[in-house]
Amino acid sequence: MNRFEEVPKVTDSRASGSTEAARPRSAPYSPPYSANWLERMFKLTEHNTTVRTEVIAGLTTFLTMAYIIFVNPSILGDAGMPKGSVFVATCLIAAVGTLIMGLYANYPIAMAPGMGLNAYFAYVVVLGMGYTWQVALGAVFISGCLFLIVTVTGLRELFIQGIPQSLRTAITVGIGMFLALIALKSAGVVAASPATFVTLGDLHSAPVVLATLGFLVIVVLDRLKVRGAILIGIMLVTVLSFFFGGNKFHGVFDAPPSIAPTFMQLDILGALKGGILNVVLVFFLVEMFDATGTLMGVAKRAGLLVPGKMERMNKALLADSGAIFAGSLLGTSSTTAYVESAAGVQAGGRTGLTAVVVAVLFLACLMISPLAGSVPAYATAPALLFVGCLMLRDLVELEWEDTTEVIPAVVTALAMPFTYSIANGLAFGFITYAVLKLFTGRAREVHAMVWVIAAIFLFKFAYVGGH
């Protein structure tokens, strides 16, 4: 095991016959206070790691997920939110949430606004359903409070166990397809058509060519295990856009924009009065499954599962729910644990020190707001498409021989992109699952939680309407 500091070997001069025998025997080596503090806080020795390893792991995780500081402002900006303020909120909540995860839960897991939920926030809740982004932030706040309540009270286990694995898988796959559609639209690869709804865009346009190039670069670099492949792809397309896309360069470094336009602008009363129960439910369910699945997956890869369970799962989920709560106050969509943390784990990260390093790097990014503002939508589209493609791999987990399991899952996944709504996909999936189990004589297999959620969505369709 490599050590950040080698402990000097203490030699007994009396045994060696050295002339230094008269000198008082030296006290055992004591590492500096800072090292003691790090050891006490993160238990580095217990986790068989070192400061150097944790720092490298933190840098690795950051490079794999830094794309969010460009993608999130681009997506939420489409909802009418000030991009500069969203950029600051993204950096701050990623730093704060990750810092809490590192210091409180001591896990090498980073956090940031979640992909998929930011798209649902912007393109469905705001642009599709017509709510203001302030009301949408209010819905995020409420979902964070619910997440916090079920975590503190222990109801989380009831929710997790109550939702069938097939629908949990379908949520991930459906969000991946939804992200892919948004990416193709942002890049100009697909366009609207009155005859066929969607059609092929102008393949000769600069955005399409540059976005395609960026996507291929990301895939190739990822395959070659180049750290920061997604970030490199975004930056490459951005640089080329200055020469071939008519984009304008505004510099790299500057003081952070004001966060005032989004800070504490959430409309909680509007969310409560707006009748957007299904929106809150979608935020809550996706946050719950995304956070739990990611935490368990990364912890398993890091070897931190004790008899199959995370010792500090509640602390990790409290950090997650707290970040959602804080993020809505700062002005961004739901924050969640990032699966990209697995890259840092692969590099040797085992403790919260990895997360602390990631948090510090996100804070440092506050000084590159001009660069973030120069990134066009078609530069972030390849990142969305790549992430979306990876999310479809969960399809292999479905039980394809059992149609009462696989059909609701496929309906869920397909409905999300084709109705342009994660909420509709969830609704169709839960209702289909309950109905098929009921009429095939397998109603006893259905957990009470599924009946409740299906009934809520059915009531919403019957008496409130679509979306």
Side-chain angles (χ1 to χ4, degrees):
M1 180 179 67
N2 295 324
R3 288 289 179 185
F4 185 61
E5 290 187 15
E6 288 291 329
V7 178
K9 185 177 181 181
V10 179
T11 303
D12 190 338
S13 56
R14 291 172 297 180
S16 63
S18 169
T19 56
E20 297 180 355
R23 189 182 66 185
R25 189 175 183 178
S26 59
Y29 173 77
S30 177
Y33 178 78
S34 58
N36 280 332
W37 179 83
L38 291 174
E39 177 63 40
R40 289 198 304 270
M41 175 64 71
F42 301 109
K43 298 179 174 60
L44 301 176
T45 303
E46 180 181 322
H47 290 91
N48 197 31
T49 186
T50 66
V51 173
R52 179 178 180 274
T53 299
E54 296 292 301
V55 170
I56 292 175
L59 178 61
T60 301
T61 294
F62 174 77
L63 288 175
T64 60
M65 62 180 290
Y67 65 86
I68 193 63
I69 66 177
F70 304 110
V71 177
N72 201 48
S74 176
I75 291 176
L76 298 189
D78 289 344
M81 299 186 70
K83 290 186 178 181
S85 299
V86 174
F87 166 77
V88 175
T90 301
C91 292
L92 286 178
I93 196 57
V96 171
T98 304
L99 196 62
I100 295 173
M101 181 67 75
L103 296 178
Y104 179 59
N106 196 24
Y107 280 125
I109 297 173
M111 302 181 66
M115 296 291 290
L117 284 173
N118 52 7
Y120 176 67
F121 180 105
Y123 302 116
V124 178
V125 180
V126 178
L127 297 179
M129 302 173 69
Y131 292 106
T132 65
W133 58 263
Q134 291 89 344
V135 169
L137 285 177
V140 172
F141 176 87
I142 296 170
S143 70
C145 291
L146 290 177
F147 195 178
L148 184 62
I149 291 172
V150 300
T151 301
V152 171
T153 59
L155 291 175
R156 177 187 58 84
E157 290 294 336
L158 180 64
F159 277 94
I160 296 298
Q161 295 173 4
I163 309 303
Q165 180 61 43
S166 58
L167 290 184
R168 282 187 256 173
T169 299
I171 292 172
T172 301
V173 173
I175 291 176
M177 296 173 67
F178 186 48
L179 287 178
L181 178 60
I182 292 170
L184 294 173
K185 178 175 176 287
S186 297
V189 176
V190 299
S193 168
T196 60
F197 296 108
V198 293
T199 189
L200 192 63
D202 181 7
L203 298 184
H204 297 93
S205 66
V208 173
V209 174
L210 293 177
T212 302
L213 175 63
F215 176 70
L216 294 176
V217 167
I218 289 174
V219 176
V220 170
L221 293 179
D222 179 75
R223 179 60 185 173
L224 296 175
K225 301 188 183 303
V226 176
R227 293 171 182 171
I230 296 178
L231 184 61
I232 293 172
I234 292 175
M235 299 311 298
L236 174 64
V237 175
T238 301
V239 170
L240 293 176
S241 72
F242 299 133
F243 299 97
F244 305 105
N247 195 10
K248 294 183 179 180
F249 182 64
H250 300 292
V252 178
F253 300 103
D254 198 1
S258 172
I259 197 176
T262 59
F263 181 65
M264 295 295 290
Q265 296 301 309
L266 68 166
D267 185 357
I268 301 174
L269 291 179
L272 292 172
K273 295 178 181 177
I276 55 174
L277 175 62
N278 63 311
V279 172
V280 174
L281 185 61
V282 169
F283 278 134
F284 171 73
L285 289 177
V286 177
E287 289 160 359
M288 175 71 69
F289 300 136
D290 192 28
T292 305
T294 299
L295 291 169
M296 293 290 289
V298 175
K300 181 179 180 181
R301 185 171 298 189
L304 299 175
L305 293 184
V306 179
K309 296 184 179 180
M310 291 177 69
E311 287 184 299
R312 304 179 298 279
M313 171 63 92
N314 262 8
K315 286 188 175 183
L317 288 172
L318 283 173
D320 203 318
S321 56
I324 296 170
F325 178 92
S328 65
L329 301 180
L330 291 172
T332 184
S333 53
S334 301
T335 303
T336 189
Y338 260 57
V339 71
E340 284 85 350
S341 302
V345 167
Q346 189 68 31
R350 293 294 181 271
T351 74
L353 182 55
T354 294
V356 171
V357 172
V358 176
V360 171
L361 292 172
F362 269 116
L363 285 178
C365 285
L366 287 170
M367 306 307 295
I368 62 169
S369 58
L371 178 61
S374 299
V375 178
Y378 57 82
T380 57
L384 287 176
L385 183 58
F386 179 68
V387 173
C389 289
L390 294 182
M391 294 174 78
L392 265 63
R393 61 187 170 191
D394 285 359
L395 280 169
V396 298
E397 297 180 6
L398 294 177
E399 298 179 31
W400 290 94
E401 300 302 320
D402 188 348
T403 53
T404 64
E405 292 287 337
V406 75
I407 295 300
V410 173
V411 167
T412 300
L414 291 177
M416 288 184 186
F418 289 140
T419 65
Y420 218 69
S421 170
I422 296 174
N424 286 341
L426 284 172
F428 294 158
F430 275 97
I431 294 171
T432 303
Y433 188 91
V435 169
L436 288 180
K437 292 293 186 180
L438 177 64
F439 288 102
T440 55
R442 300 170 63 180
R444 291 184 178 180
E445 297 179 9
V446 182
H447 194 279
M449 192 59 62
V450 174
W451 294 113
V452 171
I453 295 174
I456 291 173
F457 279 127
L458 194 61
F459 174 82
K460 185 259 180 184
F461 282 137
Y463 295 98
V464 181
H467 295 303

